[in-house]
């Protein structure tokens, strides 16, 4: 598997994010599109990546954006196949890049009803924190943090 930094407007990026939106709509009733601005991952201390299999097929994506000097936020994490370790590799890559960008923690939000995502992040060392930003007071949201120092 290769993970490549991409523009979120790249056709592979768009295709994967559209698949993610459909999956989220099915699971949660919300596509998540309103929680992502492409511009947020095109500025310094941010990035968007696409994972490719050995055949050159785009199989996953994810990004990080700056929340503040010490915290990055994971956005639009998606793996087409949930059993190949794609999501874990993308998340590890994002964590490594965030560390290189001098962040000390990563935050993210998912929906409580999305058991697969909640368990995915817990298994990778993320712990629940108080909902932040636009998720404050949202009873459907669950927020996580992982220290990366």
């Amino acid at each position: 598997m290769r993970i490549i930094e991409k523009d979120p407007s790249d056709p592979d990026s768009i295709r994967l994010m559209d698949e993610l939106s459909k999956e989220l709509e099915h699971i949660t009733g919300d596509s998540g599109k309103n929680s992502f601005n492409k511009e947020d991952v095109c500025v310094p201390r941010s990035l968007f990546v696409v994972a490719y299999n050995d055949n050159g097929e785009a199989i996953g994506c994810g990004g990080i954006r700056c929340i503040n000097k010490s915290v990055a936020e994971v956005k639009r994490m998606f793996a087409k196949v949930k059993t190949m370790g794609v999501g874990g590799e993308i998340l590890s890559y994002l964590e490594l890049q965030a560390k290189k960008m001098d962040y000390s923690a990563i935050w993210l939000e998912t929906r409580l009803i999305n058991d697969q995502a909640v368990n995915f992040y817990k298994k990778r060392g993320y712990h629940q924190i108080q909902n932040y930003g636009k998720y404050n007071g949202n009873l459907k949201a669950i927020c996580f943090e992982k220290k990366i120092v």
Side-chain angles (χ1 to χ4, degrees):
M1 177 179 347
R2 292 177 306 126
I3 297 176
I4 299 173
E5 294 185 24
K6 289 276 191 169
D7 186 298
S9 297
D10 177 86
D12 288 339
S13 302
I14 291 169
R15 217 173 5 264
L16 289 164
M17 287 190 288
D18 285 347
E19 287 183 50
L20 169 62
S21 294
K22 287 176 189 168
E23 188 171 303
L24 290 175
E25 181 81 37
H26 175 73
I27 295 168
T28 70
D30 184 338
S31 69
K33 288 182 179 181
N34 291 332
S35 295
F36 179 69
N37 180 344
K38 292 178 189 177
E39 311 310 315
D40 287 348
V41 295
C42 295
V43 296
R45 297 185 78 216
S46 68
L47 62 90
F48 191 83
V49 299
V50 173
Y52 292 88
N53 66 15
D54 293 339
N55 297 327
E57 178 188 2
I59 56 172
C61 64
I64 54 173
R65 72 175 192 102
C66 179
I67 289 183
N68 61 45
K69 184 179 177 186
S70 60
V71 179
E73 182 181 31
V74 171
K75 301 302 289 181
R76 304 311 276 173
M77 271 288 300
F78 177 66
K80 287 178 82 163
V81 180
K82 309 300 184 215
T83 58
M84 292 176 37
V86 175
E89 286 201 39
I90 293 170
L91 188 59
S92 292
Y93 183 89
L94 294 175
E95 291 169 355
L96 177 63
Q97 297 308 311
K99 192 173 187 174
K100 287 180 180 179
M101 293 177 200
D102 291 324
Y103 291 109
S104 58
I106 295 181
W107 290 359
L108 61 91
E109 179 272 343
T110 192
R111 295 299 170 106
L112 274 168
I113 197 169
N114 192 347
D115 293 330
Q116 191 173 23
V118 169
N119 291 330
F120 172 83
Y121 292 115
K122 285 181 176 179
K123 286 179 185 172
R124 284 156 183 82
Y126 286 77
H127 65 276
Q128 186 176 354
I129 59 172
Q130 182 175 347
N131 287 4
Y132 60 90
K134 69 180 274 175
Y135 309 111
N136 277 330
N138 183 340
L139 300 177
K140 295 178 181 179
I142 183 170
C143 295
F144 290 99
E145 175 184 64
K146 183 176 183 180
K147 301 288 187 191
I148 56 170
V149 287

